[in-house]
Structures are given as C-alpha cells and as structure tokens.
Amino acid sequence: MRIRKEDSRGTTGLRSHSKLWTAQQQGVLLSLTACILLALSLPSLGPWLGATQVISSGPQCDLQGLWRNELGSNMTLWALDAAGTFSGSYHTAVAATNKQILVSPLQGAQQHPSAKGQPTFGFTVQWLFADSTTAFVGQCFVDRRGKETLETTWLLREEVPSRRDSWKATRVGTSIFTRIK
C-alpha cells in the first residue's frame, strides 16, 4: 500500500515499504519505465532484447532495376553484393546549371535484407556536370498488388567559394521512384 506522506523536510512523495519516493525520483522512475516500454515496442530493437522477429510472407522489394521519379529522372541500380552494397547510374531530368546534364555514377548500401522485405537504403550521386554531390536515404515499399516504390529524402550539397557562403550550399527534398523494369 502506498501512502502520500510529508517527510521532516516538507517533501511529499509516495511511501512504499518504508521508503519515501520524492517527486523527482517518481519522475525518473516514470521516465525510465516509459523508455523501456518504448524500446520493447520498437521492432528494430527486438532481436537485441530477445524478442522474436515477425516474418512476413508478403512480396519482397528488390532494389536492382530501372527506376523513375516524379520529375522524370531515371536511375539504374545494379545487383547488390553480399554486403548489401550496390552501384548504378543516375540521369537527372532537372538541374540548376547551364551545363549539359550527364549520366552520373552512384554508390550505395542497403540495410541487411530482412524477412519483412521493405529495406532501407542510402546512396550518393557524384554529379559529373556540376560541383555538387547528392545523398539519398529511403525505404523500398511493396503494396498489396506488388508495386514497388522507393520513397527517398535527399540532400544536395554544392561547392561554394567560402565558408561564408555555406548557408546557401545545401538543398533538401524528397523523391518517390517507381519501377520501370
């Protein structure tokens, strides 16, 4: 049984088994409990905490192939190696330059494929026609009909003449790619 009680210093807290819990200790205990419950509910932490992994029999996403985003840019991803790394090429349909757009190389890595079949990945594109690099991160999704999409967020960093201009050197955006073949 817990009883609210004021101790000799005027601190009120819960008393349980002859120990007085201050409001600060109660807050720490509640925060710790919330963190543990949150950690147990996260699937990515499950294996470390002894939870069994849920296996999906749904369709698996395969990054290899030809993809197009909503702006008409085309990307080709070649086969992943055993470590999950891949390479490919990117032909952007849009650019903030007057130079001729060239097909540019990309390098990336996929999260170790899980039984869930919808892996996360990341890759960088080294633009051959501009002094910039773009990093993409995303996840491959497969809908009930088997349609694959890559939902990505990207950061484009262009070279600037000085640190003073660094504030304007990075752009951020999103792209959704659908499989062409």
Side-chain angles (χ1 to χ4, degrees), residues 54-60 115-117:
V54 176
I55 297 178
S56 169
S57 60
Q60 301 288 307
K116 295 175 186 167

Side-chain angles (χ1 to χ4, degrees), residues 18-79:
S18 70
K19 180 174 180 178
L20 185 64
W21 291 78
T22 66
Q24 182 180 13
Q25 288 171 324
Q26 292 171 35
V28 169
L29 182 61
L30 287 173
S31 296
L32 181 59
T33 303
C35 288
I36 290 170
L37 290 174
L38 177 61
L40 289 172
S41 70
L42 294 174
S44 61
L45 293 177
W48 288 317
L49 298 174
T52 57
Q53 189 172 8
V54 176
I55 297 178
S56 169
S57 60
Q60 301 288 307
C61 191
D62 181 12
L63 293 181
Q64 182 179 349
L66 181 59
W67 301 85
R68 180 173 291 138
N69 73 8
E70 68 280 2
L71 297 174
S73 298
N74 291 318
M75 174 175 66
T76 302
L77 301 179
W78 297 312

Side-chain angles (χ1 to χ4, degrees), residues 64-127:
Q64 182 179 349
L66 181 59
W67 301 85
R68 180 173 291 138
N69 73 8
E70 68 280 2
L71 297 174
S73 298
N74 291 318
M75 174 175 66
T76 302
L77 301 179
W78 297 312
L80 281 74
D81 65 18
T85 61
F86 59 89
S87 58
S89 63
Y90 197 104
H91 189 196
T92 186
V94 296
T97 182
N98 294 329
K99 296 179 182 178
Q100 178 184 357
I101 294 174
L102 302 172
V103 176
S104 298
L106 67 80
Q107 296 288 321
Q110 174 185 299
Q111 156 203 5
H112 204 299
S114 70
K116 295 175 186 167
Q118 302 191 117
T120 59
F121 59 89
F123 62 89
T124 58
V125 179
Q126 176 190 359
W127 302 111

Side-chain angles (χ1 to χ4, degrees), residues 14 16 45 47 90-91 152 155-156 176-178:
L14 292 177
S16 176
L45 293 177
Y90 197 104
H91 189 196
T152 66
L155 290 171
L156 181 143
I176 298 175
F177 295 85
T178 54

